[in-house]
């Protein structure tokens, strides 16, 4: 890695996140696309960290889909740990894109709490207030 790249990485603001993300990667050449949902734990303008558990078959190049968006972000792995992959985006994101991804992820998590889909232990009486706050962040 060149020193220029190290400085670039240090300029990214890493943020703790806890939302779902989908990894998409080709299989059998490009005839099939496999996808799996995992937990996004860190995000910056330049990359992400995704908790993948014990899954060791994730290729070095893949696409990330945030919050069920239509579009995807191309990525390549820059590091692996026991249960986490660390990747860099092919195209750096703007700060506003990162803010939107985080806000939408929180919004979806709160909605999942309301419907009981994610097993969150948040008290039910606080959820409507949380939804309104997140809605204000998004719009």
């Amino acid at each position: 890695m060149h020193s220029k790249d190290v400085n670039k990485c240090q300029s990214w603001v890493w943020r703790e996140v806890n939302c779902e993300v989908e990894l998409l990667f080709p299989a059998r050449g490009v005839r099939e696309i496999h996808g799996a949902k995992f937990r996004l734990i860190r995000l910056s303008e330049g990359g992400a960290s995704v908790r993948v558990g014990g899954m060791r078959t994730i290729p070095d190049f893949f696409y990330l889909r945030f919050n069920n968006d239509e579009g995807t972000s191309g990525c390549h792995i820059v590091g692996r740990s026991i249960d986490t992959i660390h990747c860099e985006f092919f195209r750096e994101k703007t700060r506003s894109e990162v803010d939107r991804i985080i806000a939408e992820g929180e919004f979806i998590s709160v909605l999942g709490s309301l419907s009981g889909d994610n097993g969150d232990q948040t008290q039910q009486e606080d959820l409507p207030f949380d939804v309104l706050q997140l809605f204000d962040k998004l719009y």
Side-chain angles (χ1 to χ4, degrees):
M1 181 181 278
H2 302 349
S3 60
K4 166 173 95 169
D5 294 334
V6 171
N7 292 336
K8 182 179 173 185
C9 289
Q10 291 173 350
S11 69
W12 296 332
V13 177
W14 286 95
R15 299 177 218 166
E16 300 297 318
V17 186
N18 185 15
C19 63
E20 200 171 73
V21 67
E22 187 174 13
L23 271 71
L24 303 167
F25 44 91
R28 298 172 45 134
V30 291
R31 292 182 293 190
E32 292 180 19
I33 300 293
H34 286 196
K37 293 190 178 192
F38 296 104
R39 185 70 33 198
L40 179 66
I41 57 172
R42 290 179 64 214
L43 183 65
S44 77
E45 289 85 354
S49 295
V50 180
R51 181 148 299 135
V52 294
M55 188 166 179
R56 306 234 185 271
T57 58
I58 296 172
D60 289 339
F61 298 94
F62 57 90
Y63 294 92
L64 277 177
R65 178 178 294 154
F66 299 99
N67 307 319
N68 297 322
D69 280 347
E70 293 283 323
T72 58
S73 297
C75 304
H76 64 95
I77 293 180
V78 294
R80 295 178 191 254
S81 59
I82 294 172
D83 65 345
T84 305
I85 57 170
H86 311 281
C87 62
E88 187 173 313
F89 300 132
F90 292 155
R91 184 188 62 80
E92 193 172 311
K93 299 195 172 305
T94 64
R95 181 165 288 172
S96 63
E97 287 176 302
V98 171
D99 290 341
R100 181 190 55 81
I101 290 167
I102 292 171
E104 286 178 358
E106 291 174 352
F107 187 71
I108 290 169
S109 291
V110 169
L111 289 178
S113 297
L114 286 170
S115 67
D117 287 343
N118 65 1
D120 193 354
Q121 298 300 317
T122 305
Q123 293 180 345
Q124 292 294 324
E125 61 269 10
D126 293 339
L127 291 174
F129 180 71
D130 292 342
V131 169
L132 290 174
Q133 279 188 314
L134 290 171
F135 189 78
D136 285 343
K137 277 187 194 178
L138 287 170
Y139 306 101

